[in-house]
Amino acid sequence: MRVRFGVDALSTLPDELDQIGLQRVLVICSPDQKAMGTRVAEALGDRSVGVLPEAVMHVPAEVAHRASAEAARVGADGCVAVGGGSAIGLGKAIALEHGLPIVAVPTTYAGSEMTPVWGLTTDGLKTTGRDPRVLPRSVVYDPALTATLPVAMSVTSGINAMAHAVEALYAPDATPIISLMAEDGVRALATALPAIAADSSDLSARSEALYGSWLCGACLGATTMSLHHKLCHSLGGTLNLPHAQTHTVVLPHALAFNQPAAAGATAALSRALGGAADPAARLWELAGELGAPRSLAELGAQESDLDRIADEVTSRPYGNPRPVTYNDVRGLLQAAWAGKPPTANPLR
């Protein structure tokens, strides 16, 4: 894949279409990004065959089917996905159905643009998979496009990106290069987010955050997801909780559970977080300092939901630094639901 990075990189979008040979692209965005999608479509002139502002969280299967049908109806030969994980996820659903190339123009720090991972939600169950067809052929990172992202969403989107790097550090298929990228991605975001909270128009901070999200997204694309992502996929798909906010709440608790079995990852995160002795606790503190949510209850989860989420998360095995039991997950969820500080669960 190709990556363009820098302020005003959006102006290079026609060149990226030329590189791939695209002449009829469907622009995809979420309803609240329709103005941005329209701006991109107008810049492409007659190479745009329309704007589809229907991307929503967790890519419901029915939305994916409608979008795939629309791409076929207008004769699109590719998609330009403008926005965050929802828009890029919908582009991936179309790519999965029709094999159309994607050009991604991220406006958040989600990182989905750097992965071959797709996700679809059907009847409250979120299914994910990997397929090289859904990896964008080109990504255009323009920090100026993130300058209007509200501070609250910038913070949760950035912590969501950090979660990708955290799990990459203790993934069963971690590599030295990916670990270097993960550590620097967390460092970049941990540095940039407070600066963005202080001045949301600071393009230097916005550039640093987008750089961090690029690294963190690439880490997610190169490694196997573990407990944290299983928890968030279940909470999001089953309860329809907001994606980035859910990652923000869950990450310190999942990390606290895994830290005793992941010394190397803990050391890397300590360096990335300014020498923090307990990275999980530092991430929880950082979320609070930046005004981010720290409980599942405030996101709309009910305490009565936690049993079935724990069942789902422990129903199938997956790679994780330490074994995962129902009681472990249920206790972790309880703390996350109540907004309590993360606590270490010692190895037995």
Side-chain angles (χ1 to χ4, degrees):
M1 64 193 306
R2 290 167 53 85
V3 172
R4 294 265 194 163
F5 192 100
V7 174
D8 198 36
L10 183 62
S11 63
T12 69
L13 183 57
D15 296 335
E16 295 307 300
L17 299 189
D18 289 341
Q19 287 284 337
I20 306 170
L22 300 180
Q23 297 297 323
R24 297 178 57 83
V25 296
L26 180 64
V27 177
I28 299 165
C29 59
S30 58
D32 61 350
Q33 290 271 6
K34 184 176 180 180
M36 179 67 72
T38 300
R39 173 185 163 190
V40 169
E42 290 174 348
L44 294 175
D46 58 10
R47 295 172 76 168
S48 168
V49 293
V51 178
L52 188 68
E54 295 188 11
V56 293
M57 288 191 309
H58 309 305
V59 195
E62 59 273 20
V63 175
H65 294 325
R66 286 201 307 270
S68 294
E70 178 65 9
R73 187 188 71 80
V74 298
D77 61 3
C79 296
V80 174
V82 182
S86 297
I88 294 166
L90 186 55
K92 289 180 174 183
I94 296 173
L96 200 62
E97 177 76 17
H98 297 302
L100 299 185
I102 304 168
V103 176
V105 183
T107 62
T108 73
Y109 308 125
S112 176
E113 66 279 355
M114 295 304 297
T115 82
V117 178
W118 57 266
L120 288 172
T121 300
T122 306
D123 298 329
L125 181 64
K126 186 168 185 176
T127 303
T128 62
R130 290 175 180 261
D131 192 304
R133 291 177 297 171
V134 309
L135 183 68
R137 295 277 296 278
S138 175
V139 182
V140 177
Y141 284 114
D142 188 338
L145 300 184
T146 68
T148 56
L149 187 66
V151 168
M153 180 52 71
S154 298
V155 169
T156 55
S157 181
I159 297 176
N160 174 21
M162 286 191 206
H164 307 329
V166 167
E167 292 232 297
L169 283 166
Y170 56 60
D173 45 4
T175 67
I177 296 299
I178 291 298
S179 294
L180 286 171
M181 293 168 63
E183 181 177 334
D184 203 43
V186 171
R187 179 209 55 76
L189 284 158
T191 301
L193 294 180
I196 289 170
D199 179 5
S200 64
S201 64
D202 183 344
L203 279 183
S204 177
R206 291 289 185 180
S207 296
E208 185 76 353
L210 202 57
Y211 162 76
S213 74
W214 172 9
L215 293 181
C216 293
C219 292
L220 176 67
T223 55
T224 301
M225 291 179 281
S226 300
L227 175 63
H228 169 81
H229 282 85
K230 299 299 181 182
L231 283 162
C232 292
H233 289 163
S234 184
L235 288 161
T238 301
L239 306 182
N240 199 37
L241 299 188
H243 182 82
Q245 293 89 331
T246 301
H247 279 269
T248 299
V249 171
V250 170
L251 179 60
H253 298 277
L255 177 56
F257 175 76
N258 278 326
Q259 277 180 174
T266 302
L269 290 169
S270 176
R271 292 190 296 268
L273 295 170
D278 183 341
R282 178 60 197 135
L283 286 173
W284 191 81
E285 292 164 358
L286 181 64
E289 291 164 6
L290 298 178
R294 292 198 291 187
S295 78
L296 293 175
E298 64 188 291
L299 302 184
Q302 303 299 311
E303 191 172 11
S304 57
D305 294 325
L306 303 184
D307 288 344
R308 61 174 169 152
I309 298 299
D311 277 331
E312 286 182 20
V313 171
T314 55
S315 63
R316 292 186 295 274
Y318 46 86
N320 197 65
R322 61 185 294 189
V324 179
T325 69
Y326 174 89
N327 288 337
D328 291 331
V329 172
R330 185 61 180 78
L332 184 162
L333 285 168
Q334 187 67 39
W337 179 81
K340 294 180 179 179
T343 55
N345 190 332
L347 291 171
R348 292 182 288 275

